[in-house]
Amino acid sequence: MAWDTPSDATDGMDSGEKRLNELGYKQELRREMTLFKTLAISFSTMTLFTGITPLYGSSLLYAGPASLVWGWVVVTFFTWFVGVAMSEICSSFPTTGSLYFWAAHLAGPKWGPFASWCCAWLETIGLIAGIGTQAYAGSQTLQSIILLSTGTNKGGGYLAPRGVFLCMYMALTVIWAVLNTFALDVIAFIDIISIWWQVIGGLVIVIMLPLVALTTQPASYVFTHFETAPESTGIRSKAYAAILSVLVSQYSLYGYDAAAHLTEETRGADKNGPIAILSSIGIISVFGWAYILALTFSIQNPSYLYDKSNETAGTFVPAQILYDAFHGRYHNSTGAIILLFIIWGSFFFGGLSITTSAARVVYALSRDGGIPFSTIWRRVHPKYKVPSNAVWLCALICILLGLPILKVNVVFTAITSICTIGWVGGYAVPIFARMIMAESNFKPGPFYLGRASRPVCLVAFLWICYTCCVFLLPTFYPIEWANFNYAPIALGVALALILLWWALDARKWFKGPVRNIDAQNEKV
């Protein structure tokens, strides 16, 4: 692995812009983001709380604390392989289309169009569903804040019904779309706030929560206790329960490709893009594990966490842990509400950043004619220079994904599975193409793995395949409509339509990324 110094850009041109022109694209978006701003958005997309918090309760229920705690370490180890493989590719191809563009060029002229087609749609599905996961989890956290603020479940507090919950979900989605349309500079500033919000807020929670709790669980419970709950989950296989308990880590440790989506807006993107990707993984790996440990050590009564008659109505395990800790010592819920607000802020920042990334992917795919009515979605706002139509398309689809909240109990499970499989599945296409391509055809950027590239890509690809498979598994038994993980059906139908469209029509005209520099007027 090596960091090579890129050749000097001519005429003061940014090295990332120069490489973009070499690849056949002219600079259209504003290239104003620094490394720190790009890192902030990438870190905000992964987020410290948004992956762990909503799935912590179910993961703890499946197999107890030991599997949850050590599962994070295992997933982190394999995540580094994926991140390193993607950093090498990002350094060579610093384009907004990122994974989609990478797949097209790495797969070669024969398979490139099909590879980019599959990758683009997987990533689009994953990112738009990702907005939904943040909106849902943010609404769930807000629901708990309101409940505790109005007297708790035992004291006659207000538990938002489905209709109000859906309104909160939709409101968050619209707010993120408005900010992404009219306030790119504000978003960059907000994302700087986000990284400090999560770092400082994370430190506050990780340090304060165990100190406030009247009692803490012994280390033997946190690190070695393994316990299934077949009476609640219907799962009697210990191995199967352990696999499901690790889903929280697999859902949390992705999203670092956000830095790649912003490379056309980042200075020195061929070097700063990889730095942002790897830095995001490193920060989240450490803080995420600390957060899991803080929650687990602070549990007062494990069995009470899931009691529907408890103060949070058994709807949100982390909220109950916070409530038990603060109420036990101070006899009020103020501290728990404040920490829940910190967590809610993380969801807000995460949804804002994912909306930014999703719109850039839709814009890049539309720019190359890969979406119906592409001429509409690829338009850039004349004043704000952002892909505003793509932003609102993402918001509309996200709202449609949330409508089943009114009737279905497993909406979050399904959206999470669709998001993870689409998002990390998109990673697999360019990584596989990089692994099998001739080394002589690869033009390395400043970050280059050399001979280590193929083994790193192989481990990364196999891990992604495993991750996609486990998110298709049933999460409760016996399987009923109320607990049915319909992600396999939803994804199966969507992917079947996309592949059918390819076979019948798109393969005739879709050629992958389309250069927008006229070779006759500008030599590339």
Side-chain angles (χ1 to χ4, degrees), residues 9-65:
T10 59
D11 300 326
M13 180 182 290
D14 180 89
S15 60
E17 182 177 349
K18 180 183 178 182
R19 177 58 178 151
L20 183 69
N21 290 348
E22 291 174 353
L23 294 169
Y25 285 88
K26 64 182 179 180
Q27 186 72 40
E28 292 184 311
L29 303 177
R30 291 185 295 177
R31 191 178 290 272
E32 296 181 355
M33 291 191 180
T34 62
L35 169 61
F36 187 80
K37 289 182 180 179
T38 303
L39 172 61
I41 292 179
S42 181
F43 179 80
S44 187
T45 301
M46 294 184 73
T47 67
L48 175 59
F49 305 112
T50 56
I52 298 171
T53 306
L55 292 180
Y56 177 87
S58 60
S59 294
L60 182 66
L61 181 65
Y62 285 129

Side-chain angles (χ1 to χ4, degrees), residues 124 128 362 366 371-372 377 387-399:
T124 300
I128 294 177
V362 171
S366 299
I371 293 180
W377 315 124
S388 54
N389 289 358
V391 168
W392 286 99
L393 175 63
C394 294
L396 176 60
I397 297 174
C398 176
I399 289 172

Side-chain angles (χ1 to χ4, degrees), residues 199-213 290-291 294 298 339:
V199 169
I200 297 174
L203 287 173
V204 169
I205 293 176
V206 167
I207 295 172
M208 180 180 290
L209 183 57
L211 293 177
V212 169
Y291 178 48
S298 302
L339 295 191

